[in-house]
Every structure is written in structure tokens, then in C-alpha cells.
Amino acid sequence: MVKITDVARRAGVSPSTVSYALSGKRPISDETRRRVQAAVRELGYRAHVRARGGTGAGARVLALSVPLRSGVHVPVVTQFAVSVVTAARAHGHDVLLLTRDEGEEDVGRVAEAGLADALVVMDVQLQDPRLPLLRSSPLPSVLIGVPAEPDGLTCVDLDFGAAGELCVEHLARLGHRTVALVGSPPEVYVRRTAFARRLVRGFTAAADRHRLSSAVHPCGADRGAARALAERLLREQPAPTGVVVHNEPLLDPLTDAFEQLGLRIPADLSLVAVCPAPVAASARVPLTSVTVPAAELGTRAVHLLVQKLSGAPVPQVTLLPPRLTERASTGPRPV
Amino acid sequence: MVKITDVARRAGVSPSTVSYALSGKRPISDETRRRVQAAVRELGYRAHVRARGGTGAGARVLALSVPLRSGVHVPVVTQFAVSVVTAARAHGHDVLLLTRDEGEEDVGRVAEAGLADALVVMDVQLQDPRLPLLRSSPLPSVLIGVPAEPDGLTCVDLDFGAAGELCVEHLARLGHRTVALVGSPPEVYVRRTAFARRLVRGFTAAADRHRLSSAVHPCGADRGAARALAERLLREQPAPTGVVVHNEPLLDPLTDAFEQLGLRIPADLSLVAVCPAPVAASARVPLTSVTVPAAELGTRAVHLLVQKLSGAPVPQVTLLPPRLTERASTGPRPV
DNA sequence: CTGAAAGCGCTAACAC
DNA sequence: GTGTTAGCGCTTTCAG
């Protein structure tokens, strides 16, 4: 293993000079810097992180807390994770993946042991057990999601309330009078997951404002549940003609179920999805959707974290405005 | 931040005694150990990894190299990754996620900088650029996948050759005489990805042995490609009646395409998938499949790594035998 | 069975 | 602009 003293000897300078030449934390003559850089290259030197004791910059590792609780859809989470990793690498950081159900233990360990020097937190609940640790820890953190009480935290998220409203407004504009929201599995609401509840609130508020009759149905993600729910929706009086689906793994099964029940989309029934754009675009029936900008949220979170690490001030809450993309699954209310 | 000297003071012993009491690397009296443990608990002490300079056990961090090259199906990769993380946590390790296209840079950095003390390597190509680093590095590693020349490495994988044969044998037993393999996108073969090519070889060998006429078709993963391929297969003389699909994102589109072309599955056409069990089971038409045991492979890789870390000998190559599960997509050759 | 002391590789005061 | 030196928090000799 090649160490800083090896580089120093080879470049004919002292170890501290090598350190400074590399960090740029004090002026170094061009001549010296060149020699140091040459030595570094020739020996293939890389600073050993675990040696930067106490003082000094961190390990350039950032931890990502993604509790894989029941009901979270892994492919969507993965999109966030990949964008976080990519953005982190662009800033020279590596990413430590923390996935245990209750994120508290993970977050505590990482903070105490100095495993990472910053933290991205996902799947935030309104009252999240990780929040006290985040507030008290010296480790800078950014949440993807907004808890009930964001004071003293940094959060970024899609404006799910506005997203819920946008879906309803789209359907209202098409003349629909009865709408339904098919949401996440019940346990997600029981856990008080922030984004799920905000979407519901926005959906309901907009429906009331437009005087639409509306209902909300949490739903599990298997084909059986999809079929049962589809049948139930069609039995209602009046039956909804516009359905908003905020549940990725259910999109395909629910589309299938409606079609098997003899409905054509969008002639008989309009469907609006709330999901990442690729999911909506590659569905069997391309779905009109409000995009969950997974990649952008991950990237933003990392940017905010880098800002915080460099001491720059950051806004407490960043909400991205929702955007609706029309595809083939919505149309005028059937006559 | 609470350090080892704080614990020592509180327990009325020296720092080294605390260190030994915690590591168990030398005998400690019960009385002393108890006092140390009490102090640790009361103060909430955790060893700071970055201080274990040079000597000493590692940071208990294990790196996972998953180059996200084009054509790799992220949901499948994610299943591996999650199982690696879970297994690693069960052994007290955290996981650093490395996802850059060319894994060399990542692997080098991690090894040099001491960011991790072991390495799991995925998406292995027959000639993988990461191999030289793995062979020369002191960092223990385990590959999920088997390169052309596994000497000096530790590998674990599904026996994809046998998996290819198993698919063909199942179809042959059902009386099919003409079979096709729909594989990964062309770039995957061009990269000489190990498992993809082994499956092809097994498929072809078994088809020859059973005197079936066979063909192999790499295919991209979008609906357009699926449709085009389905049409092409049906135009062939003779047209295949048994199709093996080794391409997860293509399963649904290809099923749709065949049905839209008027074929019933399995009455007119039998389909065998090579994919993780959940994917096959939850498809619209439940698919007969050879299971890619993603979770087990991840877990095994971590076990092997832990063995290596503890100095135990491990086998060079571990191949898991394939298992075929019959579901609704295969039946006798149409008459 | 326990303590004192050296040293891990690196950074940052403190010198010149 | 550069070198010397004193740590960082921990582990592990070396001594009792």
C-alpha cells in the first residue's frame, strides 16, 4: 500500500506539502505541485480515508437511509437510489446503503461511528422515528419527503398535495363528475407516510372544490386485490368514470382488471397515474400521469447536502411543482 | 462524541482494557468486562471506524460493485443488492454501493482508500476489466457470476448452462420439436456477459442433443422490439412452438405480442422464462420458469465473503443447480 | 489479568 | 512557499 510518505519521498518534499498540494488548502508553487502530481500518478497514490483521524475532511461517504418497509415499491425506490448514487459520485462521494425496516438503528450507528459524513433519508413518515436523531446529530442530512414538523431539517419532495389536485383538475376539465383515488396499501397510511397522505388531502380538497363526488381506496398490490377493487368500483352508485392510481405495482393489474370487466380505456374509464414517467410511458396502455421525478429528487437531495457540507445555507423545504403529461388513458366523460 | 477514554474513565480501567473487553482479543475478568459493558451502554459508546488506523479490524463495510451498464435490468439487480445488504447486516456489515458503468475505477478507489474491507462483484463479464484488480488486491472479494478464467477468485452463480438445458428438456418432454431462445439485448452478448452466453450454450447443446431445431434471438426490451420479434418467429419455417425467454423486461410485452397475434398460451405456444420466481409468478399469465435465485445468490456471496474474512478456505466456484417450476405457460406441442 | 506507550496514515497548527 | 511536529481515536505491542 502506497502512503503519503512514499509520495513525499519520491517528490522530494515533505508529507504535509503533499497533503496541501492535493487538497489545495494552501498555496503551493507550480513546480512543487507538478512534482507531487507526477509522484502521485506514478505510484498510484490514494489517500486512505480511515487515517484522516479526528481532524480533516470526511471520508466523502454519504449514507442513504431507505427503510424497506412493507408496501414500499422497490423499483421506484431503486430509481431514487440510483440517482442519489450517481449524483453523489459526481461530487466525489460514495454511498452507503441502509435498508433496515426501522431506520433508527442504522442512522444512529452511521452517525456515531463516523461511517459517513452526510445522510439522505427516504420514505419519510409524518412522525418519523429517525427525526430526533437527525435533529440532534452533527451529521448534515437531507430528507426526500416532508414530515409533519420540518423545523430544523432540510427536505425536498414533489408537492404531492398539488399533485393530487392536478389529477382531479384534469379529470374535472374532461367533464368527469365522479372520481376515485386508488392508493397505497393500508399499512402505508397507518404508518402515516407523508407523501401518501398529502396526495389524498390534495385529491379530496380539489374534488370538493369542483363539487365532484369522490372516494379514496387504499389497495394492496396483487392481481386479486386489483380485480376485487375494480369490481367494487363499478358497483358503486354512481360509479367513478375517472380513477387516479397512486400505486405503481397496481397499475398493470388494475388496467387488466378493468378491461376484463369490459371497460375500454379511455372511452369508458379514464385513468391517471401518479408515478415516475418511465413507468407511465411503458405501460401496456400508455398512462396519463403526474410524474414523480425520482431522478430529479435524488439529484436535488445530493446537491442540497453538498451545499450544507460546504456551509452554505439551504432552504428548509423545497417542493417541486407537479406536472401532468397526457397520454392515452384519459378522455372525456362517457355519455 | 463519546470516545474510548470516556468509557475507560467511567469504568475505572485503561483504554486498552476497554478495547480488549470489546474485541475479546484477550482474556478479561468477568468483573471488569461487566463494568466496561455497563459504561459502554450508559454512554452509548461506539468505536469510531476512522480511528482504527492501519492496524485493527476493518470498518465492517463491504462494497458492492454493480455496473449499471445498458441492458441490465435494474429491478433484478435490485433483488440481488437487497439480499446482499440484508445478509451483510446480519453479519454486522454495512454496504457501499458502487454503480458506475465501468467498475474498475470504483473498485480501485475502494481498495486503495480502505473504504471497505471486502467486495462483492456483480454483472461479471467473461473478460472483466475488474478482474486484474481483484486478483492483485489484498481486499477479499466474491463474484456473483463466473468469468472465463476463475483462477484465484471466488465465484458463486446459478449454473446457467444447466438452466439452458433444463428449459429445452422441459420443452422436449412436452413434444416440442422447434424451439427458440429470446435473449438479452445484443450489447449484452457483445460485452461477453458470462451468464448470458452460458445460457445460450446450454440451450443450444441440449437442443442439438434432443435433435430439436433451435435458434437464438437477442432482443431489446421495448414493446416495439417484442412485437417485431414475435412476428418474425411466427414467419419462420417451421415456426417454434416452444420459446425460452431470458430477458425480464421483455416477458410481459412478448406475452402481449403473441396473444395479439392470435396465439393462445400455452395451447398454441409454450413459454419458459428464466427469471427470479416472483417475476414469473406475478406475470399476467403465470410463467413456467427456471428460477434465478437472486436472494440466495446474494446471501451466499456474503457468507463466502465472511468466511474469507475470517481466514477460512472457500471453494473457487459454487454453482447452484437450476430448478424448473411449472406454471401456466407451457403445455404439449400443438397438433 | 491489566496498564503504559508506541504507532497507524493523515491533516493542520506552528514554525521558518 | 515549505518543513517540522503534534495530534486524531483506536489497537496492539511491550511490561508488569
Side-chain angles (χ1 to χ4, degrees):
Chain A
M1 190 216 166
V2 36
K3 39 190 140 179
I4 201 168
T5 49
D6 300 330
V7 179
R9 191 156 345 122
R10 177 132 173 136
V13 298
S14 78
S16 59
T17 299
V18 175
S19 177
Y20 285 122
L22 260 40
S23 69
K25 291 199 181 167
R26 83 180 185 190
I28 296 284
S29 74
D30 275 14
E31 166 59 9
T32 306
R33 191 202 324 289
R34 244 187 298 280
R35 286 226 307 287
V36 168
Q37 283 166 346
V40 164
R41 224 183 343 266
E42 287 159 25
L43 301 176
Y45 170 75
R46 274 181 178 109
H48 190 106
V49 268
R50 287 195 2 247
R52 305 197 231 224
T55 58
R60 298 190 79 82
V61 170
L62 154 179
L64 175 62
S65 172
V66 212
L68 289 183
R69 307 177 168 116
S70 113
V72 317
H73 187 48
V74 176
V76 171
V77 164
T78 304
Q79 295 200 23
F80 283 93
V82 168
S83 73
V84 166
V85 172
T86 307
R89 276 309 316 153
H91 290 280
H93 288 258
D94 282 295
V95 174
L96 202 61
L97 194 57
L98 311 174
T99 61
R100 290 205 291 186
D101 254 37
E102 290 313 317
E104 303 172 70
E105 158 61 14
D106 279 336
V107 168
R109 182 165 33 83
V110 164
E112 289 295 317
L115 276 170
D117 36 34
L119 191 52
V120 176
V121 177
M122 285 190 50
D123 193 27
V124 175
Q125 303 169 222
L126 287 175
Q127 317 291 337
D128 199 290
R130 295 166 292 183
L131 299 185
L133 278 79
L134 296 181
R135 282 197 243 264
S136 67
S137 167
L139 214 63
S141 56
V142 169
L143 321 202
I144 298 181
V146 184
E149 190 47 82
D151 274 29
L153 302 169
T154 306
C155 311
V156 57
D157 205 356
L158 173 65
D159 187 338
F160 275 95
E165 302 188 21
L166 190 53
C167 295
V168 171
E169 274 150 20
H170 176 67
L171 292 172
R173 202 169 307 121
L174 289 167
H176 296 270
R177 306 297 306 156
T178 306
V179 296
L181 169 62
V182 176
S184 305
E187 65 260 38
V188 169
Y189 294 95
V190 170
R191 275 204 308 264
R192 303 176 56 73
T193 300
F195 72 98
R197 296 178 77 114
R198 291 217 170 79
L199 186 92
V200 169
R201 194 170 323 157
F203 171 86
T204 306
D208 291 352
R209 200 166 55 237
H210 288 274
R211 310 214 183 294
L212 307 189
S213 105
S214 76
V216 175
H217 303 270
C219 185
D222 58 297
R223 292 192 173 271
R227 175 67 182 230
L229 180 62
E231 290 176 358
R232 179 163 158 215
L233 287 175
L234 296 188
R235 272 200 309 273
E236 304 218 324
Q237 294 297 344
T241 60
V243 175
V244 176
V245 184
H246 183 206
N247 183 330
E248 284 87 1
L250 201 61
L251 286 169
D252 263 3
L254 197 61
T255 309
D256 292 345
F258 281 127
E259 293 194 336
Q260 280 162 19
L261 290 169
L263 296 181
R264 289 156 304 158
I265 297 171
D268 303 315
L269 186 77
S270 285
L271 233 46
V272 181
V274 180
C275 66
V279 174
S282 69
R284 194 162 48 74
V285 177
L287 301 165
T288 294
S289 73
V290 168
T291 297
V292 175
E296 184 177 356
L297 286 169
T299 306
R300 288 253 194 167
V302 171
H303 283 332
L304 285 166
L305 213 37
V306 170
Q307 297 265 300
K308 286 181 90 166
L309 280 169
S310 72
V314 297
Q316 184 172 102
V317 176
T318 308
L319 284 185
L320 271 46
R323 279 195 15 219
L324 186 141
T325 304
E326 285 203 57
R327 298 198 182 80
S329 66
T330 50
R333 174 171 66 127
V335 287
Chain B
M1 189 214 168
V2 36
K3 39 189 140 181
I4 202 169
T5 49
D6 300 329
V7 178
R9 192 160 341 127
R10 177 133 174 137
V13 298
S14 76
S16 58
T17 300
V18 174
S19 177
Y20 285 120
L22 260 38
S23 70
K25 290 198 183 169
R26 82 183 188 189
I28 297 283
S29 74
D30 277 14
E31 166 58 11
T32 305
R33 191 199 327 286
R34 243 187 298 282
R35 285 226 307 285
V36 169
Q37 283 167 346
V40 165
R41 225 184 340 267
E42 288 159 25
L43 300 177
Y45 170 73
R46 273 180 180 111
H48 190 106
V49 270
R50 288 194 2 244
R52 304 196 231 227
T55 58
R60 299 190 78 83
V61 169
L62 154 178
L64 176 62
S65 172
V66 212
L68 290 183
R69 307 176 169 115
S70 113
V72 317
H73 187 48
V74 175
V76 171
V77 164
T78 304
Q79 294 200 25
F80 282 95
V82 169
S83 73
V84 166
V85 173
T86 306
R89 276 310 315 154
H91 290 281
H93 289 256
D94 281 296
V95 173
L96 203 62
L97 195 56
L98 312 173
T99 61
R100 290 203 288 185
D101 254 37
E102 291 312 315
E104 302 171 72
E105 159 60 16
D106 279 336
V107 168
R109 182 166 33 84
V110 164
E112 290 296 317
L115 276 170
D117 35 35
L119 191 52
V120 175
V121 177
M122 287 189 50
D123 194 26
V124 176
Q125 303 168 222
L126 287 175
Q127 317 291 339
D128 200 290
R130 295 167 291 182
L131 300 185
L133 279 79
L134 297 181
R135 288 207 174 85
S136 66
S137 167
L139 214 64
S141 57
V142 169
L143 320 202
I144 298 181
V146 183
E149 189 48 81
D151 275 28
L153 302 169
T154 305
C155 311
V156 57
D157 205 356
L158 173 66
D159 187 338
F160 275 96
E165 302 189 19
L166 190 53
C167 294
V168 171
E169 273 149 21
H170 175 68
L171 291 172
R173 203 171 304 121
L174 289 167
H176 296 270
R177 306 296 306 157
T178 305
V179 295
L181 169 62
V182 176
S184 305
E187 65 259 39
V188 169
Y189 295 95
V190 170
R191 274 202 310 261
R192 303 175 56 74
T193 300
F195 73 97
R197 296 177 77 113
R198 292 216 169 80
L199 186 93
V200 168
R201 192 170 323 156
F203 171 88
T204 305
D208 292 352
R209 200 164 56 238
H210 289 275
R211 311 211 183 295
L212 307 189
S213 104
S214 76
V216 175
H217 304 269
C219 184
D222 58 297
R223 293 192 172 272
R227 176 66 182 231
L229 180 61
E231 289 175 358
R232 177 162 160 216
L233 288 175
L234 296 187
R235 271 201 309 272
E236 304 219 324
Q237 295 296 343
T241 60
V243 174
V244 177
V245 184
H246 184 205
N247 184 330
E248 284 87 1
L250 200 61
L251 286 170
D252 263 2
L254 196 61
T255 309
D256 291 347
F258 281 128
E259 294 195 334
Q260 280 163 18
L261 291 169
L263 296 180
R264 288 156 305 157
I265 295 172
D268 302 315
L269 186 77
S270 285
L271 231 48
V272 181
V274 179
C275 66
V279 174
S282 69
R284 195 161 49 74
V285 177
L287 301 165
T288 294
S289 73
V290 167
T291 297
V292 174
E296 185 177 356
L297 286 170
T299 306
R300 289 252 193 167
V302 171
H303 283 331
L304 285 166
L305 213 37
V306 169
Q307 297 265 301
K308 286 181 90 165
L309 280 169
S310 72
V314 296
Q316 184 172 101
V317 175
T318 307
L319 283 184
L320 271 46
R323 278 194 18 217
L324 185 141
T325 303
E326 286 203 57
R327 299 198 181 81
S329 66
T330 50
R333 173 172 65 124
V335 286

